[in-house]
Amino acid sequence: MGQLDGKTALVTGGTSGIGLATARRLADEGAYVFITGRDRDRLDAAAASIGAHGIQSDISKIEDLDALAEEIGGHGKGLDVVFANAGGGDFATLADVTPEHYRDNFDRNVAGTVFTVQKMLPLLNEGASVVLAGSTAASEGVAAFGLYAASKAAIRSLGRTWAAELADRKIRVNTVVPGPIETPGLTGLAPVGQKQDLLDGMASQVPMKRLGRPEEIASAVLFLASDQSSFMTGAELAVDGGQIQL
């Protein structure tokens, strides 16, 4: 028997990287999994590869989130797990930040997470688990990554508040905090021809001297989603090779 037999889960940003690996792991553990993505072709391919239900959705658009909630609600089983994973960011120093860059980071990482969880609230079953996607960047001072780091620090704070607000419904809210994980999102930050230099540089800053794998984050999300973490809420679970621990 799987740890999530009979459960229903939503993974936003489930077409690649951490989201895809997590959706696959939750499905392997018996959950009926909804995944979202903005690109139809990638979404269909990802859903087919893991047996998930794909819904095209952009978390920065309220109308898309309303449609997402309606479609999931039509399934009739509510939600037992929400992994608010979708988001992203890029490099920009204080001198180079533009209003557009600010809005992109905070719309995707903060507003997208806030309104994803808000729109799913009526669907959350008693005892459900909400897992937010944090980042070690929130605890570091990485040059040119200030807006992304600030947006993830907001997620850390929101997780604590929501854990308090939802405790009466026995809904747990925790934040998984990945270190540098080798994903398309990470490699996409590298300038042309500098992908390996970026990855090697990040790995050198990790005490374990390597990057993490998406599957390692998926295992942590499964732990937070399942009864194995039944006495955890408002917590952060760092999966970072010791980067912000040592």
Side-chain angles (χ1 to χ4, degrees), residues 55-77:
I55 303 175
Q56 189 172 16
S57 181
D58 182 340
I59 63 163
S60 67
K61 297 179 179 179
I62 294 296
E63 60 271 22
D64 280 16
L65 292 174
D66 285 332
L68 176 65
E70 183 176 359
E71 185 162 348
I72 293 174
H75 183 65
K77 297 292 183 67

Side-chain angles (χ1 to χ4, degrees), residues 28-245:
D28 287 346
E29 290 291 336
Y32 184 93
V33 180
F34 294 94
I35 62 171
T36 71
R38 292 182 292 182
D39 183 273
R40 182 80 255 176
D41 291 340
R42 291 178 61 196
L43 177 64
D44 289 345
S49 74
I50 59 177
H53 182 141
I55 303 175
Q56 189 172 16
S57 181
D58 182 340
I59 63 163
S60 67
K61 297 179 179 179
I62 294 296
E63 60 271 22
D64 280 16
L65 292 174
D66 285 332
L68 176 65
E70 183 176 359
E71 185 162 348
I72 293 174
H75 183 65
K77 297 292 183 67
L79 283 170
D80 302 292
V81 178
V82 173
F83 179 33
N85 166 71
D90 49 23
F91 292 113
T93 66
L94 175 59
D96 295 330
V97 165
T98 64
E100 292 74 23
H101 182 255
Y102 170 84
R103 284 192 292 269
D104 179 60
N105 273 266
F106 276 78
D107 282 354
R108 283 195 285 169
N109 297 328
V110 182
T113 298
V114 168
F115 294 111
T116 293
V117 177
Q118 183 193 73
K119 297 296 183 180
M120 298 308 124
L121 274 180
L123 301 176
L124 291 178
N125 297 321
E126 183 175 293
S129 174
V130 176
V131 183
L132 308 181
S135 172
T136 53
S139 300
E140 299 180 298
V142 178
F145 222 28
L147 286 183
Y148 176 79
S151 70
K152 289 300 186 177
I155 296 302
R156 179 174 63 182
S157 178
L158 290 168
R160 294 178 179 133
T161 302
W162 296 344
E165 290 179 355
L166 299 176
D168 287 348
R169 291 177 58 186
K170 298 182 174 61
I171 294 170
R172 299 183 298 109
V173 184
N174 294 289
T175 302
V176 65
V177 182
I181 309 298
E182 190 164 359
T183 64
L186 179 64
T187 57
L189 294 173
V192 176
Q194 297 182 37
K195 171 184 170 181
Q196 197 57 51
D197 289 341
L198 174 68
L199 298 182
D200 290 345
M202 287 189 165
S204 71
Q205 301 301 310
V206 177
M208 293 179 70
K209 300 304 178 186
R210 68 172 177 88
L211 301 180
R213 301 185 302 274
E215 293 76 16
E216 292 174 307
I217 306 303
S219 293
V221 176
L222 171 62
F223 170 71
L224 293 174
S226 74
D227 289 340
Q228 298 298 315
S229 60
S230 58
F231 200 47
M232 289 179 65
T233 195
E236 296 172 272
L237 180 59
V239 189
D240 64 351
Q243 185 167 349
I244 59 171
Q245 316 304 317

